[in-house]
Amino acid sequence: QIEVITTPYAHPILPLITNTALQQVGNPASELPDPFMYPTDAVVHLEKSVEIYEDIFGQAPRGLWPGEGSVAQLVVPFIIDAGYQWMATGEPVLAKSLGLGSFTRDGQETVQEADALYRPYYVKDRAGNQMAVFFRDGVISDQIGFNYSGMSGKAGAEDLMRRLENIRAQLQEEGAEGPHVVSIILDGENAWENYDNDAIDFLSEMYRLFSETEGIETITPSAYLEKFPEQRVIEDLFPGAWFSPNYDTWIGESEENTAW
């Protein structure tokens, strides 16, 4: 039912420690500090994450959550070399990688380019080795992270299922071939303390609805890839993080540049 993943050691913004110039891809107007390029540090963060995971779990990790979902094509070879089979980030990165600018939503907040968002993609290194990337649905993830805590557990779970049913309807309207996967990713340490009863009511109702709803089921990323290994390819993974197609939060302002 679960797959335990990890993050690069010490939670770095991996692309920025590789080359701070990547910031100007997503924000050309950003002012940068003197060049900072330590790709060997990025490699160590990844190697150490694998070493610690193996020490604890007795096996190699398959999945990676890069710190803050920060990714770029430049770091893909390092992640592949470390042995990871998949990683995850946010929908803004996918939109830019596909040349969409951003995903559009209708009045029900349903993504109109559903077939593009709700699937993993492969990225490759120069030798042709590949790994998969899953992309977070920002709206649904934030509903759980910030909004459902203000509802009853039943109301929140029902809203979640309504949104998933709307996605299915949109995919059917597009005539898209599945199966598709909706990636819901959130900071668990932030969400549940704001719910009544530590979100037990919401989570219990959510899993009950998952169990009873035909055509929707939970699956781990690794199990999904084992079942459906044929996926589309992204040639150039855009530099960005889980919530933005740039690294504005960590570089570009005067005090941040001083820190770098």
Side-chain angles (χ1 to χ4, degrees):
Q1 295 282 332
I2 70 169
E3 178 175 3
V4 179
I5 67 171
T6 188
T7 191
Y9 181 73
H11 195 265
I13 308 302
L14 208 62
L16 285 182
I17 63 172
T18 301
N19 188 347
T20 49
L22 285 170
Q23 161 67 355
Q24 289 192 314
V25 178
N27 185 354
S30 181
E31 294 185 9
L32 295 184
D34 292 338
F36 186 99
M37 292 178 287
Y38 288 86
T40 51
D41 282 17
V43 169
V44 170
H45 280 285
L46 290 162
E47 291 177 344
K48 196 166 182 64
S49 70
V50 172
E51 175 188 325
I52 293 171
Y53 189 102
E54 290 177 337
D55 286 346
I56 294 171
F57 295 106
Q59 62 187 47
R62 294 182 177 184
L64 181 76
W65 174 253
E68 303 294 343
S70 54
V71 297
Q73 185 64 37
L74 188 62
V75 300
V76 166
F78 305 152
I79 300 172
I80 291 175
D81 287 348
Y84 287 101
Q85 298 172 27
W86 66 267
M87 63 179 174
T89 183
E91 66 176 69
V93 173
L94 176 59
K96 288 288 189 180
S97 298
L98 298 179
L100 295 177
S102 63
F103 289 99
T104 57
R105 286 175 161 81
D106 65 13
Q108 300 295 311
E109 297 186 307
T110 304
V111 170
Q112 298 300 280
E113 304 87 357
D115 185 49
L117 177 58
Y118 300 115
R119 61 173 68 247
Y121 290 76
Y122 287 119
V123 291
K124 298 182 178 182
D125 63 16
R126 290 184 178 180
N129 302 304
Q130 67 183 20
M131 67 178 303
V133 187
F134 290 81
F135 296 91
R136 171 185 188 267
D137 181 303
V139 169
I140 291 179
S141 301
D142 284 347
Q143 286 294 114
I144 298 175
F146 303 108
N147 296 329
Y148 291 158
S149 57
M151 305 179 183
S152 69
K154 184 174 186 295
E158 288 176 348
D159 184 77
L160 172 61
M161 296 306 296
R162 176 185 62 79
R163 291 173 183 272
L164 293 174
E165 292 287 6
N166 288 346
I167 291 170
R168 175 157 57 182
Q170 176 64 28
L171 289 166
Q172 291 172 344
E173 185 177 322
E174 294 179 27
E177 290 189 16
H180 294 85
V181 61
V182 178
S183 299
I184 300 173
I185 301 172
L186 61 141
D187 289 333
E189 79 274 20
N190 295 335
W192 312 128
E193 64 186 12
N194 296 310
Y195 281 71
D196 288 339
N197 197 24
D198 295 326
I200 291 172
D201 299 338
F202 166 75
L203 292 169
S204 297
E205 184 69 9
M206 181 187 75
Y207 282 117
R208 185 184 70 79
L209 292 173
F210 278 149
S211 298
E212 295 176 357
T213 303
E214 292 291 328
I216 296 178
E217 63 182 71
T218 59
I219 191 168
T220 67
S222 289
Y224 182 93
L225 292 169
E226 287 170 4
K227 282 188 172 185
F228 314 109
E230 297 297 323
Q231 299 294 333
R232 300 172 185 173
V233 175
I234 291 174
E235 299 296 337
D236 187 11
L237 187 64
F238 197 85
W242 65 271
F243 59 91
S244 63
N246 53 55
Y247 311 114
D248 281 355
T249 297
W250 307 284
I251 197 169
E253 295 181 1
S254 59
E255 67 272 24
E256 293 166 345
N257 290 342
T258 298
W260 283 101

